[in-house]
Amino acid sequence: MSGVHVVAPRQAPDADENDPQALTAVRGQVRRVVEAAQAEAAEILDRARRRAEREVEELLADARRSAEREAAGLRADADARRDEAQRRETRVADREERAGQSETRLAEREVELATLAEDLAAQKAALAAAADERRAELERIAGLSADAAKAELVKEVETQAKREAAILVRDIEAEARAKGEERARRIVVDSIQRVASEQTAESVVSVLHLPGDEMKGRIIGREGRNIRTFESVTGVNLIIDDTPEAVLLSCFDPVRREVGRLTLEKLVLDGRIHPQRIEEVYERSRDQVEQLCVRAGEDALVQVGIADMHPELIATLGRLRYRTSYGQNVLKHLIETAHIASHMAAELRLDVELVKRSAFLHDIGKALTHEVEGSHALIGADLARRYGEREEVVHAIEAHHDEVPPRTLEAVLTQASDACSGGRPGARRESLETYVKRLERIEQIASGMPGVEKVFAMQAGREVRVMVAPDQVDDLAAQVLARDVAKQIEDELTYPGQIRITVVRESRATGVAR
């Protein structure tokens, strides 16, 4: 909007203020200025009015368009809600119609059920009457009352059930026995397969090789004083014979024999052999063997996996390093037995550590059998009890050779693992003469039975095959013959493990084609 410009009246030229013409001219000039200002103001107001009218029209148009859009949206929303309401009314009407149909069907079904119930009651009454008539007729024909017949039927069913139960129990026992034997064989074989140990030969004599035969004279000494001193100090018999460059040391105590061997070996290496020197070297050798025993016991504990044990028991176990039984090293036998027992206990889900400890200590008494009278099982049990072993371990030790009847599973597994370690092939050896005599006696026992034609001792005497005459021995007699041979072998012979007797009865039919 343009502003209002006021033009100041120009001053008239210098004239007299009282001049009327001058005043009239001034007034005319002022009037024209005012008229011009009024005209310009009117124009400005007119322009402002027109602009305001245009803006009002635009605002009205915008408001009208917005109102139309909102009205259209409201109409669309109202139409959508009206359609949804119509659909809901339709669904409600359909449900009401279906509900009415279901109610009608239920009413019809109730009527049918009521009719069927009446028919069923009538049929039950008819069946009850027929059953009464049939039972009366059966009682008349059989001459028994219903209670007597029922008792007889129950008795017959009970007898049949007992017979079937007995057959089932027999089958279950046979199956359980077969599975138990198979599982036991698997456990034993698996345990033996996991364990391997070196074997040493049993001997009561140690051989010491000499650098030369002239050393024998120095060992004997003047008038035999050196050899007498050696034998009196060590307790070992020294045998000097014609064997070139060797002497023999004999003693029933393997530890004492080892001490004597080390003593003589050191004397021979030193070359100075006299009574005082023998005593000095003997003391050092004895201390060395004691240390070796302790070390052997500790090594055995490490192999078995036992952490805690009394030091005296460890030293006693180490002495078994120099002890053998039927050619089997006793300390290695204990290690092997402990491993087998632990595998068995693991398979049977028992206390592995307790069973392993019992099996590992079961022959500890053999280290003292040269010093204490009595069975090594009882000696070992007393020793274990003295040094604080658990009562289960003590009982397993004293019962492993049946000096005391076994009362615990640990004792039974100790016996089993001991038998596995000692009876497996290659564990122990026996003299050839005893072995041959046992096989000959086995064949003689079987050959002396009636109807026997041939006897073969096989698998190192662990199996005996008896060939019989088929016309003299039938199948039943063959079974009796096998039991008789086994019984006589058990009564007369001593042997490791078990011996299987197999009786073979062969029938042959020969035909000739011409």
Side-chain angles (χ1 to χ4, degrees):
M1 182 182 295
S2 302
V4 178
H5 301 281
V6 180
V7 179
R10 291 175 293 178
Q11 293 183 356
D14 293 339
D16 187 1
E17 292 181 2
N18 294 323
D19 186 359
Q21 292 180 355
L23 290 172
T24 301
V26 170
R27 287 190 189 100
Q29 186 177 1
V30 169
R31 188 173 48 254
R32 286 190 300 272
V33 171
V34 170
E35 289 175 356
Q38 288 177 349
E40 186 176 358
E43 184 180 357
I44 290 171
L45 289 174
D46 185 55
R47 286 197 302 269
R49 188 183 302 110
R50 288 195 299 272
R51 183 177 299 169
E53 289 175 356
R54 286 195 304 273
E55 291 178 358
V56 169
E57 290 177 359
E58 292 176 359
L59 291 174
L60 289 175
D62 292 339
R64 191 180 298 109
R65 286 192 295 271
S66 299
E68 291 176 354
R69 285 195 297 271
E70 291 179 1
L74 291 175
R75 284 194 297 272
D77 189 17
D79 294 339
R81 292 186 179 183
R82 186 173 55 256
D83 295 340
E84 180 66 22
Q86 291 177 355
R87 286 194 296 272
R88 290 184 179 179
E89 289 178 358
T90 304
R91 287 197 296 269
V92 169
D94 293 340
R95 289 179 182 176
E96 290 177 353
E97 183 179 358
R98 287 196 297 270
Q101 295 175 357
S102 299
E103 186 175 358
T104 303
R105 286 196 298 270
L106 287 175
E108 295 175 354
R109 186 63 176 169
E110 288 179 356
V111 174
E112 292 178 359
L113 290 175
T115 304
L116 291 175
E118 293 176 357
D119 295 342
L120 182 61
Q123 291 178 4
K124 284 184 177 179
L127 289 174
D132 293 338
E133 294 177 0
R134 187 164 51 253
R135 183 168 59 252
E137 184 67 17
L138 289 174
E139 290 178 0
R140 185 184 65 79
I141 295 174
L144 293 175
S145 64
D147 294 337
K150 182 178 180 181
E152 184 174 352
L153 179 61
V154 169
K155 183 177 180 181
E156 182 179 356
V157 172
E158 182 180 0
T159 303
Q160 181 67 22
K162 288 182 178 178
R163 184 181 300 110
E164 293 178 357
I167 296 173
L168 181 61
V169 169
R170 184 190 62 187
D171 295 341
I172 292 175
E173 289 180 349
E175 183 180 0
R177 189 178 300 109
K179 289 183 177 179
E181 292 177 355
E182 177 64 25
R183 181 172 175 80
R185 284 194 294 269
R186 184 176 62 82
I187 291 174
V188 171
V189 171
D190 184 55
S191 300
I192 293 176
Q193 183 182 10
R194 299 182 191 178
V195 180
S197 62
E198 299 177 356
Q199 303 299 326
T200 58
E202 178 183 15
S203 176
V204 296
V205 176
S206 297
V207 179
L208 179 65
H209 296 280
L210 303 176
D213 286 337
E214 68 277 1
M215 185 61 69
K216 293 181 179 180
R218 300 176 64 179
I219 293 174
I220 296 172
R222 185 178 300 175
E223 298 177 357
R225 64 174 185 174
N226 289 345
I227 191 172
R228 286 195 302 271
T229 303
F230 179 85
E231 292 180 347
S232 63
V233 170
T234 61
V236 177
N237 294 325
L238 188 57
I239 303 173
I240 300 177
D241 54 13
D242 295 336
T243 304
E245 298 181 354
V247 293
L248 302 178
L249 295 96
S250 176
C251 181
F252 66 93
D253 188 343
V255 177
R256 192 187 305 171
R257 187 172 67 247
E258 179 65 15
V259 174
R261 189 190 67 80
L262 285 178
T263 302
L264 187 58
E265 182 179 8
K266 291 180 179 179
L267 290 172
V268 170
L269 291 176
D270 186 42
R272 296 176 295 167
I273 305 177
H274 53 80
Q276 183 179 0
R277 181 65 178 168
I278 291 174
E279 294 177 359
E280 294 175 357
V281 175
Y282 169 74
E283 294 295 333
R284 291 201 301 269
S285 300
R286 186 178 60 182
D287 294 340
Q288 181 180 355
V289 171
E290 290 178 357
Q291 294 175 2
L292 291 175
C293 290
V294 173
R295 188 178 305 167
E298 293 173 348
D299 292 342
L301 289 177
V302 172
Q303 293 183 39
V304 176
I306 297 177
D308 57 330
M309 187 171 290
H310 196 281
E312 291 296 331
L313 290 180
I314 296 177
T316 306
L317 282 170
R319 297 178 63 182
L320 295 175
R321 172 188 180 186
Y322 304 102
R323 174 73 186 267
T324 57
S325 177
Y326 297 99
Q328 187 178 29
N329 183 275
V330 177
L331 184 57
K332 293 182 179 180
H333 165 64
L334 294 183
I335 296 173
E336 182 179 14
T337 304
H339 286 311
I340 294 175
S342 66
H343 297 324
M344 291 182 177
E347 291 286 343
L348 299 175
R349 295 181 176 86
L350 299 178
D351 189 344
V352 176
E353 296 301 324
L354 180 59
V355 174
K356 183 194 298 182
R357 197 179 191 94
S358 302
F360 183 61
L361 294 175
H362 78 278
D363 271 347
I364 192 173
K366 288 186 176 181
L368 303 176
T369 51
H370 300 306
E371 305 171 6
V372 182
E373 293 291 335
S375 168
H376 74 275
L378 300 179
I379 295 172
D382 293 338
L383 185 66
R385 185 181 291 110
R386 187 187 314 155
Y387 290 112
E389 289 294 328
R390 294 172 58 178
E391 190 58 34
E392 294 88 345
V393 177
V394 173
H395 173 66
I397 295 173
E398 65 185 3
H400 80 275
H401 278 322
D402 289 324
E403 280 87 355
V404 176
R407 301 187 303 270
T408 63
L409 292 175
E410 291 79 10
V412 174
L413 286 184
T414 300
Q415 285 185 333
S417 57
D418 181 29
C420 289
S421 176
R424 66 175 177 80
R428 296 180 176 181
R429 66 176 180 86
E430 53 187 340
S431 64
L432 179 62
E433 183 179 359
T434 304
Y435 169 73
V436 173
K437 286 183 179 180
R438 188 177 75 238
L439 295 185
E440 290 178 351
R441 182 55 186 158
I442 289 174
E443 293 187 352
Q444 289 176 1
I445 291 174
S447 300
M449 297 293 177
V452 176
E453 292 183 345
K454 298 178 182 179
V455 179
F456 301 102
M458 307 175 66
Q459 296 184 3
R462 295 183 182 275
E463 182 179 356
V464 180
R465 294 192 180 182
V466 182
M467 315 296 292
V468 299
D471 55 344
Q472 300 179 15
V473 180
D474 57 11
D475 292 339
L476 183 60
Q479 297 180 1
V480 175
L481 176 62
R483 287 197 297 267
D484 292 343
V485 173
K487 184 66 171 60
Q488 189 170 351
I489 291 176
E490 289 178 357
D491 295 339
E492 295 187 13
L493 300 179
T494 302
Y495 48 89
Q498 61 183 12
I499 299 176
R500 180 187 300 273
I501 291 86
T502 303
V503 177
V504 180
R505 179 176 178 269
E506 183 181 12
S507 298
R508 295 186 181 181
T510 303
V512 180
R514 301 182 182 278

